Amino acid sequence: MLSSERLDQDILHQFFRKMFHIRVVEETLLDLFAHGVIGGTVHTCLGQEAVAVGVISALNVETDIICSNHRGHGHFLAYCGDTRSLLAEILGHPTGVCGGIGGSQHLQKKNFYSNGILGGMSPVATGMAFAEKLKGSGAVVVQFMGDGAMAEGAVYEALNIAALWNLPIMFAVEHNQYAQSTHWSTQHSGSLEQRSEAFGVPSFAIDGNDVAGVNETAQRLINEIRTQSAPRLLFMHTYRLGPHSKGDDLRDQEELDHHLQREPISRLREKLDQSLVAETEQLVRQQVSTLVSDLRGN
Amino acid sequence: MASYLAGIQAGLENALTINEKVVVLGEDIVDPYGGAFKATKGLSTKFPERVISTPICEGGFTGVAVGMALRGFRPVVEIMFGDFLTLCTDQIVNHMAKFPGMFNGQVDVPLVIRTPMGGGRGYGATHSQSLEKMFLGLPGIRVVAPCHIHSVGDILQHAILTDNDPVLFIENKLLYPLDQHTHILIEQTDEIPGYPTVALKNFSSGKPDVTVIAYGGMSRELVPLLDKLQIDELNVTAVFPSSLWPVPFETLVHYGTQCERLVICEEGSTGFNWGSELAVLLYDKLSNKLAAPIVRLAAASQVIPAARRLETEALVNAEKIENAIWELMS
Ligand SMILES: Cc1ncc(C[n+]2csc(CCOP(=O)(O)OP(=O)(O)O)c2C)c(N)n1
Ligand SMILES: [Mg+2]
């Protein structure tokens, strides 16, 4: 094997570990929810792990900024890997990343901020980008939103300002086809992919289930944003494999099966050394379950 | 003597001069126009990078300011008319006011939203309201409305430079041209640091017959009314908190215990307003000391008409306050 391929394999393997880690955490949360251990609500990103890992691995996590949404566990874990304080937060422990006050949708750590109001973070993230531009810090802001959030007016006010003032921000759209129970085609007119272009924000639509491709495009766009101080929109096609939140899923099994064939983790697994993968999977499962037992005090 | 508007202008200019993290955002605020009410006149010429006109998207640029505040700036937002705060409400309620508490004190949002409120200029239903009551009692924000007895520029400067929590700063538009009557104030109480309550008396010895608690634009009505009632030998104290929420409660109780008759007046519409909350708080402390129930005055519950005569009928003014006082005395 050539050394460059070896390197790629290493990076892909790291992506795999992170994506698999997110998946196990999310499955664990659904399980804890089903057993009544956690209350409130959880929105898991099963099937969308390549977006979180691909995009966030393209950032300088020391200085760049992430604004996330209600479906933000994957973004958080890809950003800082702090599973303990995420789980503690959702379990309502005082050691949670926001002392248990925030909960699943309201996470904040260093340069990571999430909120549960659809579209509301678009202007906030735009203001952060303005702040970093005025400071000359070179930081880029990434704001994640779903296809559903793209029906909110706040998003367009933000796109307008971000382009008008040449701000270093990437709008990262996770088009998982649904907003809660609503298929995107029943709530959007025109082309979602092209909307931002009308504001002068170039938009790039890609396969969001291919982590290497997501990472490559994100790196290129982040680099452009950083060097040109101008916004971009990365539009990623993906699919939510789990329920919207905790079990209220009315989609056809046939449709789900179709998308299971295209889900990002099995696609990546095929490209990797199978014995390494098996080892990683076992390790990750073990880490997460140890953390959960720790936090539950048994 | 400087006008209330000049006080605002000076407060903004001082804040921009003292701290380079201060930025001002709003519609039409740059020179030569200098804002719909001229509060930012001259400032963009002196601070071109930090006084910035925005597109017409109140929710959007309020959110931008929230983001800037989270990242180390001390933004000031101007909303051209207070009526348009409805467009910013999601950013105010679910972003600005939430972040410090929801993120467990790990972030600050040192942001001031300034806006003119109030009627009396014939602008009609959508440019004359006093909507601050929509935000009173909201956890996580302070609502401030200095009157023209306050040193408005100092309070604004404090809100911008010193207060690390978000502030909604209400300026009654009829106060803008008035001289700041800081010289006639007779007492100032600082129960809430930086946001003084001022009081005015039309008598030099004895007790007040009536104490009026009011804020913001009501000082324009009450200052001349106190002079008038002095001729009638009626002792009146007028008390003006600058912080509407939280309420400087001890201070109000202090003034409340000085007399047996209380009037609370405000320009906003009647029903679930500042006066109703204050009255309940005060009854708890004062009920057995009062000679009569607290009288509350507010605008009629209706759209504010454009025609001068109809608008006057709808809003609280000196004549209505005077009538209420005499009725309370009888
Ligand atoms: C302003 C607002 N409206 C409605 C909701 C309720 N809600 C939460 S998630 C959701 C669907 C969001 O869909 P999308 O943006 O596509 O994100 P996804 O859930 O697919 O990740 C809705 C309607 C909300 N949180 N905020
Ligand atoms: Mg969606």
Side-chain angles (χ1 to χ4, degrees):
Chain A
M1 198 182 283
L2 295 170
S3 67
S4 67
E5 275 179 31
R6 179 74 247 161
L7 184 73
D8 282 355
Q9 280 283 310
D10 282 350
I11 290 174
L12 286 181
H13 192 88
Q14 277 177 37
F15 287 165
F16 180 84
R17 186 178 48 76
K18 289 184 180 173
M19 288 162 62
F20 191 74
H21 186 99
I22 293 169
R23 178 153 304 180
V24 172
V25 169
E26 296 287 52
E27 284 171 349
T28 305
L29 287 171
L30 283 181
D31 189 53
L32 290 172
F33 199 96
H35 287 90
V37 180
I38 51 179
T41 191
V42 280
H43 304 95
T44 59
C45 66
L46 300 170
Q48 302 176 214
E49 297 89 346
V51 168
V53 171
V55 170
I56 291 169
S57 300
L59 300 178
N60 177 348
V61 289
E62 293 305 317
T63 50
D64 290 339
I65 298 166
I66 294 167
C67 287
S68 171
N69 59 359
H70 61 291
R71 204 176 296 288
H73 306 160
H75 308 145
F76 182 84
L77 291 173
Y79 170 68
C80 65
D82 188 355
T83 315
R84 176 180 285 272
S85 63
L86 174 68
L87 289 174
E89 183 66 28
I90 297 169
L91 283 160
H93 282 211
T95 58
V97 68
C98 290
I101 297 172
S104 162
Q105 306 188 73
H106 314 112
L107 306 171
Q108 196 280 324
K109 178 171 173 154
K110 292 188 208 155
N111 292 342
F112 186 99
Y113 310 80
S114 75
N115 200 3
I117 300 293
L118 297 177
M121 288 305 264
S122 295
V124 174
T126 301
M128 291 178 168
F130 190 27
E132 297 308 316
K133 181 173 181 171
L134 289 179
K135 288 190 232 170
S137 71
V140 168
V141 182
V142 172
Q143 190 240 327
F144 287 98
M145 68 180 122
D147 47 295
M150 285 193 81
E152 292 284 0
V155 173
Y156 302 93
E157 297 186 10
L159 282 169
N160 184 44
I161 292 176
L164 187 71
W165 295 349
N166 298 311
L167 301 181
I169 178 167
M170 185 169 91
F171 299 95
V173 178
E174 299 187 61
H175 183 18
N176 64 6
Q177 307 211 21
Y178 286 89
Q180 210 147 331
S181 70
T182 304
H183 191 256
W184 74 274
S185 62
T186 64
Q187 73 157 334
H188 288 292
S189 64
S191 155
L192 274 182
E193 283 90 332
Q194 285 162 24
R195 280 187 190 174
S196 75
E197 301 263 350
F199 293 91
V201 179
S203 170
F204 300 85
I206 60 171
D207 175 359
N209 285 358
D210 165 19
V211 69
V214 170
N215 184 249
E216 194 184 309
T217 311
Q219 279 195 35
R220 180 167 60 78
L221 297 187
I222 296 290
N223 186 40
E224 285 174 18
I225 293 167
R226 218 186 290 284
T227 51
Q228 298 168 31
S229 186
R232 298 284 185 271
L233 186 140
L234 179 57
F235 192 95
M236 291 162 283
H237 290 275
T238 181
Y239 190 79
R240 152 164 74 68
L241 291 179
H244 165 68
S245 50
K246 51 216 181 185
D248 43 357
D249 202 346
L250 302 169
R251 294 171 300 180
D252 287 343
Q253 192 55 45
E254 213 176 309
E255 179 182 324
L256 288 167
D257 289 344
H258 172 82
H259 287 283
L260 264 175
Q261 305 301 311
R262 288 154 186 77
E263 70 93 8
I265 292 189
S266 20
R267 270 172 63 180
L268 180 55
R269 192 189 276 116
E270 284 169 12
K271 296 186 190 152
L272 299 172
D273 177 327
Q274 294 306 301
S275 66
L276 258 180
V277 159
E279 215 174 285
T280 299
E281 292 188 353
Q282 206 202 341
L283 196 71
V284 167
R285 283 191 196 285
Q286 176 140 28
Q287 280 169 345
V288 175
S289 83
T290 309
L291 270 178
V292 172
S293 330
D294 254 23
L295 286 164
R296 295 186 64 190
N298 49 33
Chain B
M1 206 186 306
S3 69
Y4 189 90
L5 180 63
I8 301 279
Q9 289 165 334
L12 288 170
E13 181 165 351
N14 290 342
L16 283 157
T17 305
I18 292 168
N19 189 334
E20 61 181 20
K21 292 297 184 196
V22 175
V23 292
V24 184
L25 301 171
E27 292 159 9
D28 299 290
I29 66 170
V30 300
D31 293 332
Y33 190 67
F37 291 90
K38 310 302 165 202
T40 54
K41 188 97 182 151
L43 294 182
S44 71
T45 305
K46 288 190 183 127
F47 307 97
E49 270 95 52
R50 291 191 285 135
V51 178
I52 301 150
S53 274
T54 62
I56 304 162
C57 53
E58 293 77 7
F61 68 76
T62 300
V64 164
V66 173
M68 297 182 81
L70 284 169
R71 299 300 303 178
F73 283 81
R74 304 189 78 88
V76 181
V77 163
E78 173 173 303
I79 301 298
M80 189 186 276
F81 281 79
D83 311 72
F84 313 155
L85 278 182
T86 51
L87 282 301
C88 322
T89 303
D90 176 52
Q91 285 298 331
I92 293 175
V93 176
N94 285 323
H95 295 78
M96 176 179 97
K98 287 288 182 297
F99 288 150
M102 181 168 102
F103 295 150
N104 202 22
Q106 292 154 198
V107 302
D108 284 330
V109 183
L111 165 56
V112 177
I113 300 179
R114 318 179 12 254
T115 193
M117 289 279 193
R121 289 179 52 149
Y123 289 157
T126 63
H127 290 64
S128 308
Q129 300 166 92
S130 297
L131 289 183
E132 54 272 18
K133 79 172 181 182
M134 290 176 64
F135 301 95
L136 297 177
L138 182 71
I141 68 166
R142 178 186 302 289
V143 182
V144 174
C147 69
H148 78 302
I149 320 294
H150 283 111
S151 182
V152 64
D154 291 342
I155 299 177
L156 180 57
Q157 206 175 310
H158 174 87
I160 300 170
L161 294 178
T162 312
D163 199 332
N164 284 334
D165 293 324
V167 175
L168 183 55
F169 196 94
I170 308 296
E171 302 160 10
N172 185 280
K173 43 177 108 70
L174 290 188
L175 295 182
Y176 283 141
L178 301 192
D179 284 336
Q180 288 176 80
H181 271 296
T182 47
H183 63 291
I184 59 169
L185 103 93
I186 53 98
E187 273 169 20
Q188 174 167 322
T189 328
D190 294 294
E191 181 180 341
I192 302 176
Y195 301 102
T197 297
V198 293
L200 191 64
K201 289 182 186 176
N202 69 354
F203 58 97
S204 49
S205 64
K207 271 169 29 108
D209 299 306
V210 176
T211 294
V212 182
I213 302 173
Y215 72 83
M218 286 292 106
S219 62
R220 181 175 172 273
E221 308 298 319
L222 282 161
V223 171
L225 179 60
L226 259 61
D227 287 344
K228 183 163 185 238
L229 293 173
Q230 187 176 33
I231 298 167
D232 297 322
E233 296 186 352
L234 190 73
N235 289 357
V236 183
T237 303
V239 184
F240 302 97
S242 58
S243 175
L244 309 187
W245 167 253
V247 176
F249 184 54
E250 295 305 322
T251 305
L252 297 184
V253 169
H254 161 77
Y255 285 108
T257 50
Q258 290 180 357
C259 88
E260 296 175 344
R261 291 180 174 81
L262 290 180
V263 175
I264 303 173
C265 53
E266 66 197 287
E267 185 177 327
S269 66
T270 191
F272 293 90
N273 56 5
W274 188 66
S276 45
E277 176 74 8
L278 278 196
V280 171
L281 290 172
L282 290 169
Y283 276 128
D284 280 348
K285 289 277 183 187
L286 306 174
S287 56
N288 51 7
K289 302 192 177 79
L290 294 172
I294 297 171
V295 171
R296 292 187 287 121
L297 291 172
S301 180
Q302 62 173 74
V303 298
I304 299 175
R308 181 56 51 94
R309 179 180 55 82
L310 297 174
E311 186 182 29
T312 306
E313 276 172 26
L315 299 179
V316 174
N317 57 24
E319 191 187 327
K320 292 179 191 176
I321 302 171
E322 185 181 0
N323 291 341
I325 288 175
W326 285 121
E327 199 173 317
L328 180 60
M329 290 306 299
S330 63

